[in-house]
């Protein structure tokens, strides 16, 4: 016998040995496969071991083994994990060597007594042993690494990079995490860090490099192109500098993730090969079983049994390999999508950092939608693209195989598919149209949600809850209308696409039945082989169906993202910046050789600005409200649109905005703002900003975490922290946009003296102010009027011009002072007050500092200071590490299994009646499905057996058509009922169930809940309810019925299936219990991880100008990247657990498939061909079905968390009732306005200290009461108590004889009038902002605007009252926003109680005086409570209420209190120049 071949020659299969190859085939092809693989894949790696390798052996086998051994030796001691190629090589070598070993044992007469069979056997055993040993993890893998590679340091690195190949392929590297999740609830710290290859920042750098190249090319082309030429001809020579090249978004993303994305095609090809070989094997197996039927045995001998077992082995192997390759495809494709998501989100965030002032008005809601919904839909493209081409390939393969079975009948089925897809194509535009409209409605809804949450206190004070409830509900209803149309078209499309397979089967069988030749009848084997192949069409056709919908929605989302990323950016060239402050004696310079103008969306607001600010000078910018002070600041910062002219700056910049911007971080982090901690500078900063006593009152000092937007700080404290941030920055130039208006007069003086003129004495300072008390101390004064600089110079020079605007402002201030205080000596005498001596002995930083500035608890995080030695103790406190105490709760994540009450809650929201009808329709559809298969079995048997059935072919065709039509009707009815009616009913109910309780939640809830969490509920969670849950539940029921039908047919085919049903059930149950625990917690953590990211985005948009002024955009972008990676980690691990589950389910399904196939072979002579045809035609999809069933169940488990979170908000503890039923309150109450506080105490929420204590005050009708006190004394708490924003801890407030606690909140708040401290404007017309309920005529609105000194400004707007105000009133100055609040109050002329909470803080003295006159005129018989920093604004009050540490310190007339030289009011009045 030859050592290479035997007498059988080069045939593939041996004729002398059962289930064996010929020796020639084994020793050539079979042995060559692993060797060739080895040499191809390890040759590059081998170069690291040997400089050169010479293969001179005649046989490739020997050098391959030697090379593998050498590489093993090297990699075992140098690599963290085993080489994938080596593991695959040894596995294939071991498996393939089984065949020649068996053959040599059989062909050798001596058997194992011969040397060659023994050597073959030893090699097989050694190959298996090496494979097993190499799969054992190395104990020192952390100390090993591949050459020239580095890994970023991570606290809990993922084991994935160090796992061996088979652990990565089967995702078993997740087992430690899953075991941990089984033993206890997973926390964020338990999760592995994301794979370093998926980190966001390196991906962004790759993308940025591509964008920079494209931008440079685009600018170079554009600068020489017609666009610039045309712009220059139009007189706009700044066009080239403002040019923003359009981003080629698709090309940029593909540049970053293209390699990963394209590599997913390789496992997809192998998956298709192994998956589509199965129907051929099924057909052969059915033919094998059919050969043992009585009719077949009469014609020919049955096939040999080993062929049947060979088919079984091939089917099982193909199923296992197709599962593994599909898992790798899903893994690689998901990684590509995750990388793309990372790049998209990073680009959107960084784009938001560069948004122009106009473009950023798109608002947080829309940008969050870009980051979440739009990005997710575009990322879905990465699944779709591969699924599209693979679907086409799969369809071609299936059609070829079908042609081999039914010949020309296949063309009829192709015609059906073409018609169906033509109909689908007609429907697609309607899907896109309605989806785009629904997204716009969603943007409007989220914009309203953001406005509501951002200004909830003002909404409650005004009693506008119902207005916002109505507006949001209208936006939601509009969205649901488009969703209903969208789902209706989806129902039609889904029905068409799902009925393609039944109709194709019908047409194919009908045509073939009519033309079938006698030697190839339409028997059971042909029927069910055809059905198997056509069933395979379901997957590619379903992919095409889903792709159509996803392509439509993805195209819309891609367009939105592209438009956003290509939208207008801030012009970075509008200010020519020089980082060297010493390069010029000028800090800022603006020149207008033609006309330097800046504009916002309402047209030009600044004209002919020529200004020079000397280095080291203190410059004051003054002017009335709306004249352009803040616009000048915007021009200096480069935030305005510049037509022409030039702005130059020298040195670094620090900026304090008019409205304090606070980060959700510790106090210290807010002040440091990313800069290194310098103890000495830090202490000087907090002393100069009068923050020492506040630190002593905060629970954890400067380590106390500030809530979002500074919710646990007073307005003055927030502004002082903002000032401290700028002071600590140690910049060269400081721009302060009227920050001192938010602090008390004595604090104003302290900050001006110790911060602006001491620490910053050698810095350039630009102070925008509405006051005049510091003007004599500045070096330069710039007066702005109607967008122009009318005066510019020193105080001594400008004051000489009696016709100048500065002189007029100062005279107005003198007039106010003389009117309000008989002892006032005017502005000239103000500086001669003993303020300086008071401040020299200031209690702010001296031994008695606490007496001067310590205040009672005005927010929940304060405590009373225990020592008067503040300065010393703060120094000591800085040295001590204090644990941060966060008064703002983190995202709450519930633990454990989602209870059935959540499912019941969701079903109740849908409607139990609808659910019952839906289940009935599903059962009917299942019955039709089973009946259809049984009918086909009878049809097939009638053509092969003498059954006595004599029906014509037309009978069978038409009856089968009836079954198909019944299936289409029940399917369409079920989908339409679930999607169009049930899903939308549940969506409407859940949104409404969450919205009203949110609006009615007490302020304490918003104090401790960030807007990011609330936005997440209304965006991501509602999106899950709208789209994910209905789809999952519908899929769950349909997949369950189809899976059930498969097992029913399996039992009919062979009762032996019952033997494995119990073990399978136990295995599935265990697998579900093991997986669901971790998967559920990962999903919850994923949802929780999104909130900080969204909250950070919101903070960034709110402080965009500050961030850009400080030059910290990149630092915050890196923070955002870290939050994104945290979110990506949970999403990645969630997907990987799903992949692990799919592998496990696939193997269980393969066991089932293998068992059924084995039983088909074993019972080959005892069972009917037809029933085995049914089960084999169906069981081919069992793997996919069970995977989908289990995955869908898990998706429901995780998606239902959204309902759980919505229910949490739906069950929020509400405030007191809005309206008391059968209220006896006088409709005209309050008639007089008498207010009485009776032993009144209040706290912000349970467990905190009282903020007002034992208040006993009686206010007579019509009295004007001024409320004063130091920062944190409880001034604003009085108005909050009056409006019942906070509820009494003891005592009561009585208005006109009625205890307000007995009234409904809307009844109370709607009858009181307030002008809040923080003006609130929402994105709508001026008319709606003033009169949201439409109570007043235009004439009354114009009258109110005139009284508020706004009429002249509004009349200049082209749309008048219909002019749209941007989000938060960004296109108005802070002073104009406050005047809008005043105009609202002017409309309520019939009110009897008016509260002004520092309402004129941001208004110049002249306008303030005009407003005060209007208030006296319009509210003559009204009780007025005024909280003010400016003492002069309340000097004409009937009485002054002085608060100190939450208690009444003094309460009397101004004249009486001024007589008390040792009184607190006298001290305050002295410091403000009114004593």
């Amino acid at each position: 016998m030859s050592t290479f071949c035997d007498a059988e020659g080069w045939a593939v299969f041996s004729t002398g040995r059962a289930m064996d190859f010929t020796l020639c085939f084994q020793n050539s092809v079979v042995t060559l496969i692993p060797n060739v693989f080895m040499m191809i894949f390890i040759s590059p790696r081998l170069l690291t071991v040997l400089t050169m390798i010479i293969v001179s052996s005649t046989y490739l086998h020997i050098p391959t083994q030697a090379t593998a051994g050498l590489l093993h030796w090297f990699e075992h001691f140098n690599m963290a994990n085993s080489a994938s190629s080596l593991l695959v090589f040894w596995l294939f070598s071991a498996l393939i060597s089984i065949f020649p070993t068996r053959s040599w044992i059989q062909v050798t007469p001596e058997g194992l007594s011969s040397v060659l069979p023994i050597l073959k056997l030893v090699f097989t055993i050694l190959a298996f042993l090496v494979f097993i040993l190499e799969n054992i993890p190395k104990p020192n893998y952390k100390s090993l690494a591949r050459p020239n590679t580095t890994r970023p340091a991570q606290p809990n690195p993922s084991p994935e990079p160090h796992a061996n190949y088979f652990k990565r392929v089967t995702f078993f590297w997740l087992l430690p995490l899953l075991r941990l999740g089984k033993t206890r609830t997973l926390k964020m710290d338990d999760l592995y860090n994301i794979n370093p290859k998926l980190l966001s920042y390196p991906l962004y750098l790759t993308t940025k490099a591509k964008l920079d190249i494209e931008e440079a090319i685009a600018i170079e082309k554009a600068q020489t192109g017609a666009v610039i030429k045309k712009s220059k001809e139009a007189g706009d020579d700044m066009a080239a500098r403002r040019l923003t090249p359009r981003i080629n978004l698709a090309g940029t993303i593909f540049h970053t993730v293209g390699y990963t994305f394209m590599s997913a095609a390789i496992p997809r090809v192998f998956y298709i090969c192994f998956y589509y070989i199965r129907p051929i094997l099924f057909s052969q197996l059915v033919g094998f079983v059919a050969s043992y039927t009585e009719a077949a045995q009469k014609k020919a001998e049955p096939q040999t049994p080993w062929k049947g077992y060979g088919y079984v082995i091939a089917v099982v192997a193909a199923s296992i390999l197709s599962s593994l390759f599909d898992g790798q495809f899903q893994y690689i494709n998901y990684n590509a999508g995750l990388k793309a998501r990372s790049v998209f989100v990073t680009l959107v965030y960084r784009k938001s950092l560069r948004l122009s002032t106009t473009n950023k008005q798109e608002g947080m809601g829309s940008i969050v939608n870009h980051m979440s919904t739009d990005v997710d839909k575009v990322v879905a493209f990465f699944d779709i693209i591969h699924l599209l081409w693979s679907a086409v390939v799969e369809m071609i393969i299936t059609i070829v195989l079908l042609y081999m079975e039914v010949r020309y009948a296949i063309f009829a089925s192709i015609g059906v598919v073409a018609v169906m897809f033509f109909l689908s194509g007609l429907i697609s535009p309607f899907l896109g149209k309605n989806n785009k409209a629904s997204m716009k409605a969603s943007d409007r809804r989220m914009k309203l949600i953001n406005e509501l949450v951002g200004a909830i206190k003002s909404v409650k004070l005004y009693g506008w809850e119902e207005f916002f409830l109505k507006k949001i509900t209208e936006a939601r209803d509009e969205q649901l209308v488009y969703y209903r149309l969208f789902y209706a078209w989806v129902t039609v499309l889904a029905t068409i696409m799902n009925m393609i397979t039944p109709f194709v089967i019908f047409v194919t069988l009908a045509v073939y039945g009519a033309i079938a030749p006698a030697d190839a009848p339409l028997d059971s084997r042909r029927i069910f082989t055809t059905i198997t192949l056509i069933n395979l069409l379901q997957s590619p056709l379903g992919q095409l169906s889903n792709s159509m919908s996803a392509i439509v929605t993805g195209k819309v989302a891609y367009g939105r993202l592209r438009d956003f990323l290509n939208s207008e950016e801030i012009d970075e060239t509008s200010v020519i910046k020089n980082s060297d402050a010493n390069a010029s004696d000028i800090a800022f310079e603006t020149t207008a050789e033609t006309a330097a103008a800046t504009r916002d969306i309402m047209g030009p607001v600044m004209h002919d600005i020529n200004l020079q600010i000397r280095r080291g000078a203190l410059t004051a910018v003054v002017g009335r409200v709306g004249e352009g002070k803040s616009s000048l600041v915007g021009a200096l910062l480069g935030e305005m649109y510049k037509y022409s002219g030039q702005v130059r700056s020298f040195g670094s910049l620090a900026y304090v905005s008019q409205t304090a911007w606070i980060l959700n971080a510790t106090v210290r982090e807010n002040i440091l703002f990313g800069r290194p901690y310098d103890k000495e500078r830090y202490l000087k900063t907090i002393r100069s900003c009068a923050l020492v006593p506040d630190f002593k009152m905060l629970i954890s000092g400067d380590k106390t975490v500030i809530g979002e937007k500074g919710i646990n700080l007073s307005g003055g404290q927030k502004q002082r922290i903002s000032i401290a941030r700028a002071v600590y920055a140690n910049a060269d130039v400081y721009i302060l946009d009227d920050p001192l208006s938010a602090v008390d007069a004595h604090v104003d003086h302290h900050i001006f003296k110790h911060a602006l003129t001491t620490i910053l004495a050698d810095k350039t300072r630009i102070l925008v102010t509405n006051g005049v008390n510091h003007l004599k101390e500045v070096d330069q004064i710039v007066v702005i009027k109607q967008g122009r600089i009318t005066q510019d110079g020193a105080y001594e020079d400008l004051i000489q011009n009696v016709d100048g605007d500065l002189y007029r402002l100062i005279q107005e201030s003198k007039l106010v002072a003389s009117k309000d205080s008989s002892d006032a000596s005017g502005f000239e005498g103000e500086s001669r007050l003993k303020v300086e001596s008071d401040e020299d002995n200031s209690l702010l930083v001296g031994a008695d500092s606490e007496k001067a500035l310590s205040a009672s608890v005005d927010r929940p995080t304060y405590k009373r200071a225990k020592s008067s030695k503040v300065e010393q103790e703060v120094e000591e406190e800085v040295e001590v590490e204090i644990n941060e105490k966060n008064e703002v709760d983190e995202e709450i994540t519930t633990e454990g299994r989602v209870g059935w009450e959540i499912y019941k809650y969701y079903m109740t929201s849908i409607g139990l009646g609808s659910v019952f009808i839906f289940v009935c329709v599903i059962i009917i559809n299942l019955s039709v499905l089973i009946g259809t298969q049984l009918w086909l079995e009878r049809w097939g048997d009638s053509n092969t057996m003498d059954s006595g059935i004599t029906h014509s072919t037309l009978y069978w065709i038409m009856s089968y058509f009836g079954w198909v039509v019944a299936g289409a009707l029940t399917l369409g009815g079920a989908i339409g009922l679930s999607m169009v009616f049930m899903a939308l009913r549940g969506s409407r109910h859940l949104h409404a169930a969450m919205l009203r309780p949110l609006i009615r939640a007490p302020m304490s809830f918003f104090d401790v809940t960030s807007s990011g969490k609330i936005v997440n509920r209304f965006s991501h969670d509602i999106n899950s309810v709208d789209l994910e849950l209905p789809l999952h539940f519908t899929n769950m029921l349909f997949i369950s019925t189809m899976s059930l039908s498969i097992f029913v047919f399996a039992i009919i085919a062979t009762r032996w299936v019952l033997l494995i049903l119990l073990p399978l059930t136990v295995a599935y149950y265990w697998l579900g219990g093991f997986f669901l625990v971790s998967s559920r917690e990962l999903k919850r953590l994923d949802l929780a991880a999104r909130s900080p990211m969204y909250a950070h985005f919101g903070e960034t948009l709110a402080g965009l100008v500050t961030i850009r002024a400080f030059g910290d955009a990149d630092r915050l972008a890196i923070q955002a990247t870290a939050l994104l990676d945290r979110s990506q980690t949970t999403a990645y691990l969630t997907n990987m657990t799903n992949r692990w589950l799919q592998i496990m389910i696939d193997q269980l399904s393969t066991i089932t498939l293998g068992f059924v196939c084995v039983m088909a072979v074993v019972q080959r002579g005892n069972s009917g061909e037809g029933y085995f045809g049914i089960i084999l035609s169906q069981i081919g999809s069992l793997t996919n079905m069970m995977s989908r069933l289990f995955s869908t169940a898990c998706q429901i488990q995780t998606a239902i968390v959204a309902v759980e979170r919505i229910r949490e908000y739906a069950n929020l503890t509400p405030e007191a009732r809005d309206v008391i039923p059968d209220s006896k309150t006088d409709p005209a109450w309050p008639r007089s306005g008498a207010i009485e506080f009776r032993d009144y105490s209040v706290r912000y929420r349970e467990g905190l200290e009282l903020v007002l204590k034992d208040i006993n005050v009686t206010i007579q009708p019509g009295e004007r009461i001024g409320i004063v006190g130091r920062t944190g004394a409880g001034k604003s708490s009085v108005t909050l108590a009056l409006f019942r924003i906070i509820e009494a801890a003891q005592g009561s407030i009585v208005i006109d004889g009625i205890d307000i606690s007995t009234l409904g909140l809307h009844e109370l708040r709607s009858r009181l009038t307030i002008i809040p401290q923080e003006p609130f404007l929402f994105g709508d017309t001026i008319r709606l902002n003033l009169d949201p309920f439409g109570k007043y005529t235009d004439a009354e609105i114009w009258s109110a605007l005139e009284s508020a000194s706004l009429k002249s400004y509004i009349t200049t707007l082209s749309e008048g009252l219909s002019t749209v105000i941007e989000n938060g009133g960004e296109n108005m100055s802070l002073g104009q926003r406050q005047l809008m609040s005043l105009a609202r109050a002017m409309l309520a002329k019939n009110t009897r109680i008016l509260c002004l909470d520092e309402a004129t803080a941001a208004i110049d003295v002249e306008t303030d005086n005009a407003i005060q006159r209007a208030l006296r005129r319009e509210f003559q018989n009204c009780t007025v409570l005024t909280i003010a920093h400016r003492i002069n604004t309340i000097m004409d009050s009937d009485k002054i209420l002085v608060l100190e540490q939450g208690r009444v310190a003094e309460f009397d007339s101004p004249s009486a209190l001024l007589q008390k030289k040792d009184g607190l009011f006298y001290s305050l009045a002295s410091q403000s120049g009114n004593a």
Side-chain angles (χ1 to χ4, degrees), residues 594-851:
T594 52
T598 55
R599 71 172 180 88
D600 62 12
I601 63 171
M602 290 184 177
V605 293
M606 303 296 293
H607 309 271
D608 300 322
I609 303 300
N610 289 277
L611 177 64
Q612 282 190 346
I613 297 175
R614 299 187 308 278
R615 178 156 54 96
L618 173 56
T619 302
V621 180
V622 296
R624 297 190 62 183
V625 172
E627 300 288 3
K629 301 187 299 296
S630 294
S631 296
L632 177 61
V633 169
L636 297 179
L637 293 173
E639 294 290 332
M640 304 292 284
Y641 184 93
K642 183 176 64 177
Y643 282 113
S644 59
Q646 193 176 74
V647 182
R648 292 180 177 273
S649 70
F650 297 88
S652 58
L653 182 66
Y655 169 68
V656 182
S657 61
Q658 201 167 10
T659 302
W661 176 64
I662 300 295
L663 287 167
N664 183 194
T666 65
V667 175
R668 180 181 292 188
E669 288 170 346
N670 268 275
I671 295 174
L672 298 182
F673 202 48
R675 283 145 183 84
Y677 175 69
D678 183 330
K679 176 183 173 182
E680 182 179 357
R681 182 166 186 82
Y682 182 76
L683 289 175
K684 288 181 180 179
T685 298
I686 61 175
R687 291 180 196 134
S688 66
C689 295
L691 285 169
V692 172
D694 299 284
F695 286 3
K696 296 303 296 178
M697 289 186 292
L698 293 172
I699 289 178
S700 298
D702 64 345
K703 297 286 188 73
T704 301
V705 176
I706 304 174
E708 188 179 27
K709 298 180 181 178
I711 54 177
N712 47 350
L713 297 176
S714 69
Q717 289 168 325
K718 287 187 285 186
Q719 195 61 274
R720 281 183 281 131
I721 289 175
S722 295
I723 297 172
R725 176 195 301 141
V727 172
Y728 186 81
N730 195 26
D732 299 311
V733 180
Y734 287 80
I735 299 179
L736 302 97
D737 192 358
D738 199 20
L740 300 180
S741 62
V743 299
D744 295 328
H746 65 288
V747 180
D748 177 336
H749 280 273
H750 176 85
I751 293 175
F752 188 86
K753 177 180 179 181
H754 295 279
L756 295 185
T757 60
T758 302
I759 292 183
L760 305 180
D762 58 341
K763 307 292 185 180
T764 304
R765 294 139 293 162
I766 303 172
L767 174 64
V768 176
T769 178
N770 285 312
V772 297
N773 51 322
H774 296 302
L775 294 186
K776 288 191 66 176
E777 303 172 65
V778 304
D779 303 309
Q780 180 183 5
I781 298 175
V782 177
V783 183
I784 303 290
K785 184 176 182 180
Q786 295 181 357
R788 302 176 186 274
I789 296 177
T790 59
Q791 288 185 289
D792 178 12
Y795 173 81
E796 292 77 9
D797 299 328
L798 300 183
I799 197 66
Q800 303 299 323
N801 183 2
V802 295
D803 296 324
D805 293 311
L806 178 65
Y807 184 85
R808 179 174 51 80
L809 287 172
I810 292 176
Q811 291 302 314
E812 183 70 22
S813 174
K814 288 183 178 181
L815 178 63
V816 173
S818 63
K819 182 183 297 183
D820 292 336
S821 175
S822 58
D823 295 331
S825 58
F827 183 79
E828 294 291 336
E830 183 176 342
S831 62
R832 300 186 180 91
L833 296 172
K834 59 176 184 176
V835 174
E836 292 186 9
S837 62
D838 288 342
E839 290 190 351
D840 287 339
N841 300 314
S842 176
L843 303 177
L844 289 169
V845 294
D848 296 323
S849 59
E850 183 172 6
K851 182 179 178 181

Side-chain angles (χ1 to χ4, degrees), residues 820-821 823 1264 1266 1431 1434-1441 1450-1460 1465-1466 1469 1474:
D820 292 336
S821 175
D823 295 331
R1264 305 177 65 83
I1431 298 297
I1434 49 93
M1435 289 299 290
D1436 65 338
S1437 301
D1438 299 315
K1439 290 183 179 179
I1440 303 294
L1441 174 63
E1450 298 171 356
F1451 183 53
D1452 209 333
S1453 64
S1455 57
L1457 294 179
L1458 288 174
Q1459 300 302 318
K1460 299 179 182 179
F1465 180 72
Y1466 180 84
N1474 289 277

Side-chain angles (χ1 to χ4, degrees), residues 1194-1206:
C1194 297
Q1195 287 169 350
I1196 290 175
Q1197 275 276 331
T1198 50
I1200 200 70
V1201 173
V1203 177
E1204 184 181 32
R1205 287 155 57 89
I1206 289 173

Side-chain angles (χ1 to χ4, degrees), residues 1294-1361:
V1294 177
I1295 298 178
D1296 282 2
I1298 296 179
D1299 186 343
I1300 63 172
S1301 63
T1302 64
L1303 300 174
L1305 291 181
H1306 183 74
E1307 191 175 25
L1308 169 68
R1309 294 168 182 170
S1310 63
R1311 301 188 188 191
L1312 306 180
T1313 303
I1314 186 171
I1315 305 174
Q1317 182 177 5
E1318 297 178 359
F1320 163 57
L1321 298 176
F1322 56 90
D1324 216 309
T1325 64
I1326 292 175
R1327 181 184 289 102
L1328 268 181
N1329 268 274
L1330 295 176
D1331 181 25
F1333 297 103
K1335 295 181 180 179
Y1336 306 100
T1337 65
D1338 282 4
E1340 290 174 314
I1341 294 175
W1342 280 114
S1343 176
L1345 289 171
E1346 185 176 12
S1347 298
S1349 300
L1350 266 179
K1351 183 177 181 180
S1352 58
Y1353 171 70
I1354 303 298
T1355 52
T1356 63
L1357 305 178
S1358 59
E1359 300 294 328
L1361 295 178

Side-chain angles (χ1 to χ4, degrees), residues 151-282:
R151 296 283 183 186
Q154 294 178 312
N156 190 13
S158 171
E160 181 186 4
H162 304 293
N164 65 49
Y165 177 73
F166 289 97
K167 279 190 176 181
R168 294 200 302 273
V169 168
T170 59
F171 305 97
F172 267 66
W173 59 269
L174 275 169
L175 274 182
L177 182 66
L178 295 175
R179 290 196 191 103
L180 181 63
K182 183 68 175 176
T183 57
R184 64 178 176 84
T185 301
L186 291 176
K187 305 294 184 184
M188 189 64 74
D189 293 338
D190 297 325
L191 304 187
Y192 302 137
N193 294 115
I194 198 167
N195 192 318
K197 294 180 180 179
L198 300 175
L199 289 173
S200 302
Y201 191 65
L203 292 171
Y204 166 72
L205 293 179
T206 303
T207 308
K208 181 68 165 57
K210 173 69 172 176
L211 288 175
D212 289 344
I213 294 172
E214 291 187 350
E215 182 178 359
I217 295 173
I219 290 178
E220 183 178 357
K221 289 181 178 179
Q223 286 178 338
T224 58
V227 175
I228 301 301
K229 183 178 179 180
K230 184 182 294 185
S231 299
K232 289 183 176 180
E233 290 175 354
D236 189 2
D237 58 357
M238 304 295 292
R241 296 172 62 187
R242 290 198 308 268
L243 179 67
T244 303
R246 293 185 66 81
I247 295 175
N248 178 10
L249 190 56
T252 301
I253 297 298
F254 192 79
H255 170 78
T256 304
V257 303
Y259 176 79
T260 304
F261 173 71
M262 294 301 293
S263 63
I266 299 174
R268 188 65 181 176
V269 169
F270 282 105
Y271 162 75
I272 292 173
C273 292
F274 287 110
Y275 188 77
Y276 280 87
I277 201 174
R278 296 197 310 172
I280 300 175
L281 297 172
F282 288 158

Side-chain angles (χ1 to χ4, degrees), residues 991-1086:
H991 188 275
M994 179 169 60
L995 179 59
R996 183 173 286 277
L998 175 72
I999 292 179
R1000 298 224 58 250
M1003 273 305 301
S1004 58
F1005 167 78
F1006 296 95
D1007 285 345
V1008 297
T1009 307
S1010 71
S1011 63
K1013 285 183 282 187
I1014 299 174
V1015 167
N1016 201 13
R1017 293 292 201 280
F1018 282 90
S1019 59
H1020 186 271
D1021 291 343
I1022 287 296
N1023 187 65
S1024 295
V1025 169
D1026 288 345
L1027 301 174
E1028 294 179 17
L1029 268 178
L1031 182 63
H1032 292 335
F1033 273 114
T1034 304
N1035 283 342
M1036 180 70 177
L1037 287 171
F1038 278 112
I1039 296 168
S1040 298
T1041 57
M1042 296 178 70
S1043 302
L1044 182 61
S1045 68
I1046 291 174
F1047 282 104
V1048 169
F1049 290 132
I1051 294 171
I1052 293 174
T1054 172
R1055 296 178 182 177
W1056 294 104
V1057 172
L1058 293 171
L1059 288 177
I1060 64 168
L1061 277 183
L1062 181 60
L1064 275 178
T1065 303
V1066 173
Y1068 280 125
Y1069 180 79
W1070 174 86
L1071 189 61
F1074 186 74
F1075 166 79
L1076 272 179
V1077 176
S1078 298
S1079 176
R1080 183 173 56 239
E1081 298 308 319
L1082 284 171
K1083 180 65 175 178
R1084 285 172 174 160
L1085 291 173
D1086 183 31

